Structure formats: C-alpha cells, structure tokens
C-alpha cells in the first residue's frame, strides 16, 4: 500500500457523497475512483470532489472498476439489494471493503457475504456508523465502565423525518431495502448488541405503514415499508431492549434518545445535541442528583454529513484497520446479526407474533 490510502467509492448517491466528503477530511487518503451507473450521481460525486475530480477515474459498472482500478480501500454505498452483486467482483480485488448497512436485504445474501469476507485477505467492515456518533460512543463507554451498575433495560427511540427520495425510488419497497426493520433499524439492533454485549434471542414487533407513503404510487405499486413500530428484543443475558420508531415525527427535538437503566442508575443520551443525563438512584423521595454533560462534536466532521460526525469517526477507525494498525470494529458477522434481528422484527410485525432468533437462523436461506 502507498503512503496514502487510495479509495474507490461505489454508489455515489446521498451516502456515497457523504463518504467522499469525509474521506476528504482524512489524513493520508485520496479518492482515485468512483462508480455509479447513473450519470447524475457521478455528477454529484464530481461536485463533492471539487478540484480533485479531474484526478479521479469514473466507472459506470463495478465489474470494469474491479478489473482495472488500483485501490487500497473500497466503500460500497449502492442500494441495499445490490450489495451482494456489487461485492461479488470486489472480493476478487486486493483491497479492504467498507460496505454500507444493512449488509444485505436477505439472510441468504448476508450469510454469503460473511463467508466471502472470511476468505477475503483484506479487512471487511460493515458500515454501522451509529456506534461512532460521539454522544452514542460516550454513552456506550460509560455503560461499559459500569456507570449504571448492572445494565437491565435499554430503550432506544428514533423519532424522525420520513424516508427521503432515492435514486430510482428503491427505498420505497421492502424487496429492495429488506423492510424498515432491516433497512433503518439495523443501526439500533447493532447498538443493542454492542451495549448489551449479548445476542438477541426473541423479538416482538408491532408496526405498520400508517401515515407516510399512503398516496405514493410507483409503476402502480404502493410502498410497503413500515413507518412506525414498537419492538422489544430479549437478550441471552437477560437484558431487555426496546426500539420505538416513528418516521413521522420530524418536529421532535431529539432524533434519537437512548436510555440505559441498571441496578444503580439510569443514563440517557439525547441526540442532537449530544447531552448525557446521569440519574443515580436516590431512594424513595431522596433528593435527585441528576448530572448533565454535553459531548462536543468536531464541527468540521459534523458539517461533512448528516450523521452527527459518525461517518468521519467511522472512517478514522476503518483507515486504521486498512493500515493494519487496529482491528475491524464492525465485522460482516455483526452485519449479519443485525439483519437477523431486523428480519425477525419484519416477520413479527407481519404475523403479529413473537419470533425467536433461532427460528430465523433455521429458515431456509431462500425463504429468508
Ligand atoms: N450509514 C447510514 O446512516 C446510511 C444513511 C443513508 C444510506 N445508507 C446506506 O447507503 C446505501 C446507499 O443509500 P443512499 O441513501 O446513498 O441511496 P441513493 O439512492 O441516494 O444512492 C445510491 C446510488 O447507488 C447507485 N447504484 C445503483 N446500483 C448500483 C450498482 N450496481 N453499482 C454502483 N452503484 C449503484 C445509484 O445509481 C445511486 O446513485 C444504502 O445501502 C443505504 O442503506 C446508510
């Protein structure tokens, strides 16, 4: 590898451009190739690259890129349902890979990616970047340091804006996204696994499409993606977690709120602005001893994306793995586990029943 990490970015829509803007902030890194079948998207990438665009090779198909490009690291930011086909030729390259979440839309594809990643000689990383959002990272660190005592309950709320329009409207249909519980909520299922330090055993999800997309039609088809849900997840170590998702709450002050409650205290994180609220137990009518702190986010990293600096900090960690200086923090198996919980939640919401993770793991790959 040269002194600078040479990056290729595959898929240059909204997230691909966010990656380009963040790679530009990294030390000893340069983008040398971009890949997208849609000319408008390549134009967005060139705009983001600015003066550097002239030095960057453009490809309209991943197979030609894989045959000819000289890169050390590749970021895959194509639509969810394309990840397997896009990764197929990339696994033949001598380059590290960061693949956006969700790893895949089906368990069959996610398992295939895990197998290929295990055989790949270079690092493979799943883009679960919410772990790297500075307030979320501080929340995780404090829980792991024992600040709440023994963790018993974890609740995560995301109340946000509806899904944005995408290139070709791929995100309107579960066949392309895996369904909302896979597509969006894999981030939160990943956070649950990291925070709780255990694996999910059963899931109950109540969810539906109640407000968004009801008047939208694409080639005569109505979107089939959940826009609100409550999901409870039981973990093997006895910790219980829940996710409260609303995609029609764009007026909410905090897009994400997470609360960890242990036998000694409760810790909240409110994002934005990144406030941590620590509430130790004080007994019945005891005087409250609430402590509030704010986790600062580097303004340059914050401005380079719409994920509270997460994309930048994930890239710093990925670059360290590419250089062999640090381990892969989010593996392909982590990506698979988050998809499993999402698939279980999708089945649960559709069939109105509790779904064991063991049932999902036993599903015939083609049914998943
Ligand atoms: N980490 C996060 O928080 C986050 C946020 C948004 C999106 N994402 C993920 O990033 C990926 C891209 O999402 P987006 O919002 O940028 O969508 P988008 O529609 O804005 O962009 C996707 C781009 O991929 C291109 N594309 C389609 N097929 C391709 C192929 N075979 N090879 C190369 N490019 C191809 C499209 O032309 C488009 O330009 C998805 O997997 C999505 O789930 C992650």
């Amino acid at each position: 590898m040269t002194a600078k990490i040479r990056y290729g970015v595959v898929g240059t829509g909204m997230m691909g451009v966010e990656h380009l803007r963040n790679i530009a902030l990294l030390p000893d890194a340069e983008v040398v190739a971009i890949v997208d079948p849609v000319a408008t998207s390549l134009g967005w990438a060139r705009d983001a690259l600015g003066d550097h665009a002239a030095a960057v090779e453009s490809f309209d198909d991943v197979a030609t890129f894989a045959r000819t490009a000289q890169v050390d690291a590749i970021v895959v930011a194509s639509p969810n349902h394309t990840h397997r086909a896009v990764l197929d030729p990339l696994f033949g390259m001598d380059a590290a890979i960061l693949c956006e979440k969700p790893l895949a839309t089906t368990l069959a594809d996610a398992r295939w990616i895990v197998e290929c990643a295990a055989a790949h000689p270079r690092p493979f990383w799943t883009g679960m970047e919410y772990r790297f959002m500075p307030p979320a990272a501080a929340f995780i660190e404090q829980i792991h340091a024992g600040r709440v005592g023994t963790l018993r309950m974890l609740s995560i709320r995301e109340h946000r804006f509806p899904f944005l329009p995408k290139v070709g409207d791929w995100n309107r249909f579960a066949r392309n996204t895996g369904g909302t519980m896979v597509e969006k909520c894999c981030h939160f299922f990943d956070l649950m696994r990291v925070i709780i330090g255990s694996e999910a055993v059963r899931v109950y999800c109540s969810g539906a499409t109640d407000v968004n997309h009801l008047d939208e039609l694409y080639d005569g088809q109505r979107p089939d993606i959940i826009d609100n849900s409550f999901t409870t997840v039981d973990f093997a170590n006895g910790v219980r977690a829940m996710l409260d998702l609303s995609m029609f709450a764009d007026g909410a002050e905090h897009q994400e709120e997470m609360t960890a409650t242990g036998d000694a205290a409760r810790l909240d994180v409110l994002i934005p602005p990144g406030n941590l609220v620590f509430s130790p137990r004080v007994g019945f009518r005891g005087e409250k001893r609430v402590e509030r702190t704010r986790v600062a986010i580097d303004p340059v990293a914050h401005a380079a994306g719409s994920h509270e600096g997460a994309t930048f900090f994930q890239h710093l960690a990925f670059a360290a793995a590419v250089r062999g200086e640090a381990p892969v923090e989010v593996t392909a198996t982590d990506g698979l586990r988050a998809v499993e919980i999402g698939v279980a939640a999708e089945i649960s919401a559709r069939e109105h029943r509790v779904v064991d993770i063991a049932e999902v793991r036993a599903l015939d790959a083609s049914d998943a």
Side-chain angles (χ1 to χ4, degrees):
M1 199 172 74
T2 53
K4 279 190 175 182
I5 300 177
R6 298 165 300 176
Y7 286 84
V9 174
V10 182
T12 58
M14 191 209 91
M15 201 57 207
V17 166
E18 181 160 331
H19 283 290
L20 290 170
R21 294 176 64 200
N22 281 276
I23 293 167
L25 300 177
L26 297 173
D28 300 323
E30 65 174 339
V31 174
V32 298
I34 50 176
V35 189
D36 202 297
V38 175
T40 316
S41 302
L42 286 174
W44 292 334
R46 280 192 287 268
D47 288 347
L49 288 162
D51 293 344
H52 182 60
V56 174
E57 214 176 345
S58 297
F59 296 86
D60 61 11
D61 78 293
V62 74
T64 312
F65 163 80
R67 268 199 313 277
T68 59
Q70 297 293 318
V71 295
D72 306 301
I74 305 158
V75 174
V76 174
S78 60
N80 305 352
H81 62 299
T82 68
H83 288 177
R84 177 176 177 161
V86 163
L87 286 167
D88 195 4
L90 302 184
F91 278 125
M93 297 175 81
D94 181 28
I97 300 171
L98 185 158
C99 179
E100 264 303 339
K101 52 51 61 177
L103 190 58
T105 54
T106 68
L107 291 171
D109 286 357
R111 288 176 188 136
W112 178 87
I113 294 169
V114 167
E115 282 170 23
C116 294
H120 190 57
R122 307 276 288 130
F124 183 94
W125 185 293
T126 307
M128 293 294 191
E129 65 177 36
Y130 281 34
R131 296 182 184 199
F132 298 90
M133 223 178 248
F139 179 72
I140 296 168
E141 194 181 304
Q142 293 193 17
I143 296 163
H144 287 174
R147 200 153 191 229
V148 300
T150 301
L151 178 67
R152 301 307 319 173
M153 305 165 72
L154 174 67
S155 98
I156 301 180
R157 168 179 290 159
E158 182 169 72
H159 277 202
R160 56 161 271 180
F161 50 91
F163 282 116
L164 297 171
K166 296 287 164 186
V167 177
D169 301 312
W170 63 270
N171 67 343
R172 268 29 193 177
F173 296 96
R175 61 178 179 270
N176 301 331
T177 67
T180 300
M181 304 313 296
V182 173
E183 143 71 8
K184 162 106 289 280
C185 301
C186 62
H187 278 304
F188 304 114
F189 299 140
D190 179 64
L191 283 174
M192 287 177 184
R193 292 182 60 247
V194 171
I195 292 168
I196 294 170
S198 180
E199 296 298 345
V201 289
R202 76 186 67 79
V203 175
Y204 179 70
C205 175
S206 171
T209 315
D210 289 327
V211 174
N212 299 340
H213 319 304
L214 299 177
D215 301 327
E216 296 175 16
L217 281 179
Y218 302 90
D219 293 331
Q221 292 180 61
R222 192 180 306 282
D224 60 354
I225 44 175
I226 286 172
D227 67 6
N228 72 108
S229 60
F230 288 117
T231 308
T232 60
V233 186
D234 291 340
F235 278 79
N237 64 357
V239 177
R240 52 183 57 86
M242 72 160 228
L243 172 65
D244 163 356
L245 175 76
S246 174
M247 305 283 299
F248 43 86
D250 25 271
E253 186 179 1
H254 310 124
Q255 185 166 311
E256 280 95 23
E257 297 176 356
M258 298 195 274
T259 299
T261 311
D263 57 5
R266 167 180 144 154
L267 184 67
D268 302 271
V269 63
L270 311 172
I271 306 172
N275 288 339
L276 286 171
V277 184
F278 175 66
S279 312
R281 295 182 68 179
V282 292
F284 181 58
R285 290 184 181 161
E287 192 181 339
K288 306 281 187 202
R289 291 188 284 117
V290 176
E291 289 172 31
R292 292 169 203 278
T293 48
R294 169 109 180 253
V295 179
I297 301 174
D298 179 288
V300 177
H302 192 272
S306 46
H307 297 92
E308 307 289 328
T311 308
F312 176 71
F313 292 105
Q314 175 177 248
H315 266 295
L316 278 184
F318 175 61
V322 175
R323 293 184 187 286
E325 295 166 358
V328 170
E329 289 186 44
V330 197
T331 64
T333 301
D334 288 324
L336 167 65
R337 296 280 173 258
V339 171
E340 282 173 348
I341 304 173
V343 166
E346 285 283 332
I347 296 171
S348 175
R350 265 196 315 276
E351 300 183 7
H352 310 293
R353 66 181 178 90
V354 173
V355 176
D356 285 350
I357 295 296
E359 173 188 332
V360 166
R361 289 203 182 145
L363 277 178
D364 178 78
S366 58
D367 294 340

